[in-house]
Amino acid sequence: EYSRPYAGDYNVGFCDTPPVPTGPTGEGVYTYSDGTQATWPSLAIGDVPHNMTFADQHGEEVDLYSFCGKHVMIVVSAGWCPGCRQFAGYAQGVQDAHREAGLQMVTLITHNNTQGQAPDQAFVQSWADQYGFSDIPVLALDLPYRDGTPEEFYDHPAFWFDKDAYTPSYYHLNERMEVISADDSVQDPSSLME
């Protein structure tokens, strides 16, 4: 039901049986400068995320489960993040090198600047254009900025793919949508692809 073509010509997969989500069973932790901590549920090795649907740079709604049957590399980024922009500069090369082996990279953008503005369709389109993404969906997440309570801030799907509240975060899912690498800074999927 999720597998369909997209304007972005993504490497869509197919599973005879839809994934059975476990949701996040791990825990993310962020320590504030005063020593207090915020915790939230995050995906751990072996977890299967729930399907997520967010708008991409083409204005289409993209389902995570569209990529069932493929190796999925999820990169959580923010517009203000230098490391995120650095990786974005060679992300299409990683996608190109592994596409035929079944890779689909997905970029999740949480904010477009340091003021915490949610990315809109124009921002994710400019990200895709700037970094030459031809078949990598850039999905806009409406993540509230840290002016709310920690519970409000961390209660968001973006943090399912985050163990420490630092960006970028890299998660890898196998063909059954199971997490096989959780925020371990793995930028090259070669060793993880079956």
Side-chain angles (χ1 to χ4, degrees):
E1 67 183 285
Y2 299 103
S3 297
R4 63 184 179 278
Y6 292 102
D9 194 29
Y10 308 135
N11 203 5
V12 173
F14 177 79
C15 290
D16 289 328
T17 305
V20 178
T22 63
T25 66
E27 182 177 74
V29 178
Y30 179 77
T31 304
Y32 292 95
S33 58
D34 65 2
T36 61
Q37 291 186 326
T39 61
W40 61 90
S42 69
L43 292 162
I45 303 295
D47 287 350
V48 176
H50 292 276
N51 185 48
M52 300 185 308
T53 305
F54 296 105
D56 71 359
Q57 65 267 36
H58 304 286
E60 277 190 290
E61 295 290 317
V62 175
D63 287 301
L64 177 62
Y65 284 5
S66 292
F67 309 117
C68 187
K70 301 293 181 179
H71 178 97
V72 182
M73 180 176 177
I74 296 174
V75 182
V76 181
S77 298
W80 49 262
C81 166
C84 303
R85 289 186 174 277
Q86 181 181 10
F87 179 76
Y90 57 88
Q92 187 62 54
V94 173
Q95 173 70 29
D96 292 346
H98 299 286
R99 188 186 212 307
E100 292 305 315
L103 175 67
Q104 179 58 63
M105 189 177 299
V106 176
T107 298
L108 306 177
I109 303 285
T110 60
H111 297 108
N112 67 359
N113 61 32
T114 56
Q115 283 72 48
Q117 293 174 328
D120 57 14
Q121 201 275 329
F123 183 82
V124 295
Q125 179 65 60
S126 70
W127 185 280
D129 291 345
Q130 180 177 357
Y131 297 110
F133 287 7
S134 61
D135 59 354
I136 299 173
V138 183
L139 307 179
L141 305 185
D142 187 8
L143 179 63
Y145 202 55
R146 294 184 191 223
D147 55 359
T149 67
E151 292 78 20
E152 292 169 333
F153 180 66
Y154 294 111
D155 184 24
H156 190 278
F159 282 99
W160 295 347
F161 297 97
D162 195 339
K163 293 191 320 189
D164 56 14
Y166 292 99
T167 53
S169 293
Y170 304 95
Y171 270 70
H172 297 264
L173 311 178
N174 67 16
E175 292 83 354
R176 295 172 303 282
M177 296 277 111
E178 298 165 337
V179 174
I180 56 174
S181 178
D183 207 3
D184 294 323
S185 301
V186 178
Q187 297 179 12
D188 181 352
S190 300
S191 63
L192 299 170
M193 297 182 70
E194 296 176 4

